[in-house]
Amino acid sequence: MKLSNRLKHIEQMVTSRYTHIWDCCCDHGFLGAALLKRDAADKVHFVDIVPNLMATLNTHLNRLYSHIPSQWQTHCIDVATLPLADYKGTHLVIIAGVGGDLMNEFISAIHRSHPDMEIDFLLCPVHHQFALREKLIDMSFSLKDEALVEDNQRFYEILLVSNRANELAPISPVGDKMWHTNCDVQSHVAQKYLTKSLAHYSRIQQSNAATGGHIIQAYQTVTLNRNQMGLEKHLG
């Protein structure tokens, strides 16, 4: 199955090998299947809370990957209750396709349940990106990588983070690395996304003067410079 531009970028950001990768809110399992196909982990876990989806996915995986049953597993559970402690090794938790607020709830629950485990999270919220970043900063998470993607006329931020603090790799509330580009296409995407974000939070502030002001100020610190170094972020 051909991946969408969004899922393809998420899949490409898995560059380290993990013992366990958890594809959460996996829907039809396209992302997890791509990771399973390229042997990105010792085991890929497919997680969704919808029983019918998971039954169909389990049948599909059994048909395609019955020769490697030890390398995948399905879980019909709430993402907040991932049984990470039952599986030894390194973990990457991928959460995509839900909003930043719900994503915050999932991450907070996982972090509370496994405070002594080092866990990487690969996140792609459909909205409330700023709130997600603020929560990650509040929990002292650190940034490993980030990207900005346009897919089907929508914009997506993709963040690869660790639950371990690293003062050399802070998370920015508006993004940092994702504003850097070396091609005109990505420069255009970044410009459109910045313009859209400022317009969105300006509308929020107009309807509620007490809301959105600090977010607008944060995005106003982003300066787009079209040069060999790409887009650079300058704090005012």
Side-chain angles (χ1 to χ4, degrees):
M1 177 62 66
K2 184 178 180 180
L3 296 180
S4 66
N5 193 39
R6 175 180 66 98
L7 290 182
K8 181 170 64 177
H9 274 79
I10 295 173
E11 188 265 338
Q12 290 174 345
M13 286 180 68
V14 182
T15 56
S16 298
R17 182 174 179 82
Y18 295 88
T19 313
H20 299 278
I21 293 179
W22 301 79
D23 179 14
C24 302
C25 308
C26 65
D27 198 19
H28 299 291
F30 297 148
L31 175 60
L35 293 167
L36 179 61
K37 185 176 181 179
R38 74 167 168 94
D39 193 28
D42 292 355
K43 177 169 281 191
V44 176
H45 301 259
F46 297 80
V47 182
D48 206 297
I49 201 170
V50 183
N52 290 342
L53 276 176
M54 296 313 294
T56 301
L57 177 57
N58 197 68
T59 299
H60 178 71
L61 293 171
N62 269 312
R63 185 172 67 250
L64 294 180
Y65 301 106
S66 60
H67 60 293
I68 51 169
S70 63
Q71 294 184 20
W72 61 271
Q73 185 174 350
T74 58
H75 306 262
C76 189
I77 58 175
D78 189 328
V79 173
T81 65
L82 292 184
L84 303 186
D86 294 343
Y87 301 87
K88 295 182 179 180
T90 56
H91 294 268
L92 172 66
V93 176
I94 303 176
I95 310 176
V98 298
D101 289 346
L102 181 57
M103 204 169 280
N104 276 337
E105 294 179 17
F106 289 153
I107 297 167
S108 297
I110 294 168
H111 192 49
R112 283 195 306 269
S113 299
H114 309 282
D116 299 324
M117 293 184 66
E118 185 170 349
I119 307 167
D120 286 351
F121 291 86
L122 184 50
L123 311 169
C124 184
V126 295
H127 47 63
H128 296 153
Q129 294 88 347
F130 192 90
L132 172 64
R133 286 175 173 273
E134 284 193 316
K135 182 63 176 179
L136 295 173
I137 293 169
D138 184 59
M139 292 191 296
S140 299
F141 279 33
S142 59
L143 183 71
K144 288 196 165 185
D145 200 2
E146 63 181 5
L148 176 62
V149 176
E150 184 177 14
D151 185 13
N152 198 23
Q153 298 183 333
R154 295 192 64 177
F155 298 96
Y156 299 93
E157 296 181 25
I158 307 173
L159 296 92
L160 177 60
V161 301
S162 169
N163 67 340
R164 290 294 183 259
N166 181 353
E167 62 181 15
L168 298 179
I171 296 172
S172 165
V174 292
D176 188 353
K177 182 179 178 180
M178 73 178 194
W179 300 112
H180 293 253
T181 183
N182 55 11
C183 70
D184 291 340
V185 172
Q186 191 62 20
S187 296
H188 185 55
V189 169
Q191 178 65 72
K192 288 196 297 181
Y193 183 58
L194 179 59
T195 300
K196 181 178 179 179
S197 298
L198 284 167
H200 170 70
Y201 288 111
S202 294
R203 287 193 298 271
I204 291 177
Q205 188 181 37
Q206 288 172 4
S207 61
N208 185 345
T211 304
H214 73 291
I215 303 178
I216 293 173
Q217 290 178 358
Y219 276 105
Q220 285 175 338
T221 68
V222 177
T223 302
L224 307 185
N225 295 322
R226 301 173 188 277
N227 54 36
Q228 291 295 326
M229 297 303 293
L231 299 168
E232 297 179 356
K233 172 174 167 295
H234 300 281
L235 297 179

